[in-house]
Amino acid sequence: MEIAIVLLVIAVIFISRSIKVVPQQHAWVIERLGKYHGTLTPGLNILVPFVDRVAYKHVLKEIPLDIASQVCITRDNTQLQVDGILYFQVTDAMRASYGSSNYIVAISQLAQTSLRSVIGKLELDKTFEERDIINAQVVAAIDEAALNWGVKVLRYEIKDLTPPKEILHAMQAQITAEREKRALIAASEGRRQEQINIATGEREAFIARSEGEKQAAINQAQGQAAAISAVADATAGAIERIAAAIRQPGGEQAVQLKVAEKAVEAYSKVASDATTTLIIPGNMSEVSTLIATAMKMLQTSK
């Protein structure tokens, strides 16, 4: 009975040492008699008991690594307190096991030195404006060295950039002055635009008034010209009708009668005015002579 129990315990030990179940996104490095033998993939794996052993276990997921805060000096000799976070992933379990004694510490230290080197090439203002460039350069510097460690650096992000308090106060004062300058410029631009708008409005109003006056003068001139033309046409029509009437039988006698009537009417008006001195011809036949002369002129004009 005791022998059976011993055999059962030995069997359990053999089974536990020979059967290994690797979880998903994990890689286990196997050593056979102290030498690298292979890497176990996720799932069920069979080992040789007491000969093979699991030396290293690696997680193949993306791992965030917090980079400790440090003081960096910019190109213009300004100190900055910088901290960040690094994301990496194990791509080669064998190199991650034997390429470095502690690849996490190596990556962390390399990230700090690379960050100091990159920030040392930039001025203070550029460090706030070019975070993406800083992150990319740090990743490139770490990734090149991390290939021998079986690690792929995915990205690096700066969490905080903190300058000294004196620099912060100076930057705030500069920002305040810049905003006041922009406000003054905006106000002056507003006044300038207002003056331009007023001048433009006055110019357009003057042009509109002058155009109105011009059009009114044109309309008045056209109206006067039309009136003169209408009077001339009416006068010409009347003269034509009178001429046509004179050419009719008895027309000349009617003209003589009309002229005599006008003459008599004129003499009567002159005589009725008490302030007018009337000179009557000594021979009334002169009146008939005047009428005869007028008729002769009319015949000559015809």
Side-chain angles (χ1 to χ4, degrees), residues 110 139-151:
L110 185 58
V139 169
I142 301 174
D143 195 38
E144 183 178 357
L147 290 176
N148 296 327
W149 306 333
V151 175

Side-chain angles (χ1 to χ4, degrees), residues 210-228:
S210 63
E211 288 291 335
E213 293 173 356
K214 172 185 174 183
Q215 190 62 40
I218 292 173
N219 294 339
Q220 184 178 2
Q222 290 178 349
Q224 292 177 354
I228 294 172

Side-chain angles (χ1 to χ4, degrees), residues 143-161:
D143 195 38
E144 183 178 357
L147 290 176
N148 296 327
W149 306 333
V151 175
K152 173 66 177 177
V153 178
L154 302 176
R155 60 188 180 276
Y156 177 81
E157 297 290 340
I158 295 176
K159 293 194 297 183
D160 194 15
L161 283 172

Side-chain angles (χ1 to χ4, degrees), residues 66-78:
D66 192 16
I67 304 301
S69 178
Q70 61 176 332
V71 176
C72 300
I73 300 176
T74 62
R75 184 177 178 180
D76 49 357
N77 296 324
T78 302

Side-chain angles (χ1 to χ4, degrees), residues 6 11 19 24 26 44 71 107 122 133 137 151 153 205 229 241 253 260 293:
V6 171
I19 297 177
Q24 184 65 34
H26 286 70
L44 182 64
V71 176
I107 292 174
L122 299 175
I133 297 177
Q137 292 181 356
V151 175
V153 178
S229 178
R241 288 194 295 272
Q253 290 78 7
T293 302

Side-chain angles (χ1 to χ4, degrees), residues 171-214:
M171 293 174 65
Q172 290 175 356
Q174 182 180 2
I175 292 173
T176 302
E178 185 67 25
R179 289 179 178 174
E180 292 177 353
K181 174 184 173 183
R182 291 179 182 177
L184 292 174
I185 293 174
S188 63
E189 287 292 333
R191 290 193 296 269
R192 173 176 173 272
Q193 190 63 40
E194 179 184 4
Q195 295 297 325
I196 292 174
N197 293 339
I198 292 174
T200 303
E202 292 177 351
R203 179 172 61 86
E204 292 179 354
F206 178 78
I207 292 174
R209 286 194 298 270
S210 63
E211 288 291 335
E213 293 173 356
K214 172 185 174 183

Side-chain angles (χ1 to χ4, degrees), residues 5-19 49-50:
I5 294 174
V6 171
L7 293 176
L8 180 60
V9 171
I10 294 173
V12 171
I13 294 173
F14 266 80
I15 292 173
S16 62
R17 295 184 66 90
S18 61
I19 297 177
F50 303 105

